[in-house]
Amino acid sequence: NAGVTQTPKFRVLKTGQSMTLLCAQDMNHEYMYWYRQDPGMGLRLIHYSVGEGTTAKGEVPDGYNVSRLKKQNFLLGLESAAPSQTSVYFCASRIHYEQYFGPGTRLTVT
Amino acid sequence: KNEVEQSPQNLTAQEGEFITINCSYSVGISALHWLQQHPGGGIVSLFMLSSGKKKHGRLIATINIQEKHSSLHITASHPRDSAVYICAVRNNNDMRFGAGTRLTVKP
């Protein structure tokens, strides 16, 4: 099993550009999460999904959209990137009480 | 004030020392998690606790629900234990994370 994978690993965007981050898991987990990690701060939940076709807002959802069209994939979209969205983004999936994290995507918005 | 506070922020130890990292939280929880973030950035789950104590190898995690406090202990620390240790509390699908404790173990 590949576990949780994220695409891309690195990306540089200009302000106003859009992009989609892909998270894929092959463990048949129902729950999936998108987090951002900023220096000196803990991980913060952006959006999450409790199953295919469902999404919900987390702690810091503004400026992001998500979709869960297939159970194995959870997409995070930035419609108009801003420098404040420069961060490392982690995806995770969960079964029961244990979360499995992806390797992260480092995004820089200039 | 953050909902999850960890102390210390940074910790340097000599190989073989006993390590304690503390986590206090101010919200109701269904579970508390300890995570390890490697220098390369990858995050792995170490423990999930809802009560009492758990042990895995040289790592021990405890939680006191009444005092809203958890500790992570590392016995006989080793340089490979150098990482950031993150405390997270969960209430249903909502997870809140501490800022992490950066541990450096010197040989």
Side-chain angles (χ1 to χ4, degrees), chain B residues 33-52:
Chain B
H33 299 253
W34 282 102
L35 310 169
Q36 180 191 54
Q37 186 167 24
H38 298 293
I43 300 173
V44 296
S45 179
L46 297 175
F47 293 105
M48 189 280 294
L49 295 160
S50 54
S51 65

Side-chain angles (χ1 to χ4, degrees), chain A residues 31 33 35 37 42-43 94 97, chain B residues 33 37 41 90 93 97-98:
Chain A
Y31 298 87
Y33 305 83
Y35 299 99
Q37 185 178 42
L43 288 152
R94 176 166 76 89
Y97 299 113
Chain B
H33 299 253
Q37 186 167 24
R90 185 166 58 79
N93 285 306
F97 295 78

Side-chain angles (χ1 to χ4, degrees), chain B residues 13-45:
Chain B
Q14 289 297 129
E15 183 173 356
E17 285 185 358
F18 181 84
I19 304 293
T20 296
I21 298 170
N22 295 299
C23 175
S24 296
Y25 55 93
S26 58
V27 294
I29 69 169
S30 51
L32 182 143
H33 299 253
W34 282 102
L35 310 169
Q36 180 191 54
Q37 186 167 24
H38 298 293
I43 300 173
V44 296
S45 179

Side-chain angles (χ1 to χ4, degrees), chain A residues 67-106:
Chain A
S67 65
R68 183 102 182 265
L69 298 178
K70 293 183 179 180
K71 188 177 184 179
Q72 63 267 33
N73 295 336
F74 194 28
L75 279 64
L76 178 71
L78 286 72
E79 289 186 347
S80 180
S84 60
Q85 294 177 304
T86 293
S87 189
V88 180
Y89 291 85
F90 286 95
C91 173
S93 68
R94 176 166 76 89
I95 185 165
H96 303 303
Y97 299 113
E98 184 163 0
Q99 288 207 5
Y100 295 81
F101 288 82
T105 295
R106 186 174 294 275

Side-chain angles (χ1 to χ4, degrees), chain B residues 59-104:
Chain B
L59 274 60
I60 303 166
T62 65
I63 187 168
N64 185 317
I65 298 293
Q66 286 73 30
E67 294 187 4
K68 296 190 173 181
H69 181 268
S70 176
S71 293
L72 176 68
H73 306 284
I74 305 175
T75 62
S77 59
H78 189 276
R80 65 174 174 267
D81 296 326
S82 298
V84 175
Y85 292 84
I86 300 170
C87 171
V89 298
R90 185 166 58 79
N91 188 3
N92 296 319
N93 285 306
D94 190 18
M95 290 274 283
R96 300 297 166 112
F97 295 78
T101 295
R102 183 175 299 276
L103 172 65
T104 303

Side-chain angles (χ1 to χ4, degrees), chain A residues 33-36 38 43-49 55-67 74-82 84-85 89, chain B residues 94-96:
Chain A
Y33 305 83
W34 274 108
Y35 299 99
R36 60 178 290 172
D38 301 297
L43 288 152
R44 291 182 291 169
L45 180 63
I46 304 171
H47 286 278
Y48 65 95
S49 169
T55 63
K57 294 180 180 180
E59 186 183 356
V60 289
D62 294 341
Y64 305 95
N65 56 75
V66 287
S67 65
F74 194 28
L75 279 64
L76 178 71
L78 286 72
E79 289 186 347
S80 180
S84 60
Q85 294 177 304
Y89 291 85
Chain B
D94 190 18
M95 290 274 283
R96 300 297 166 112

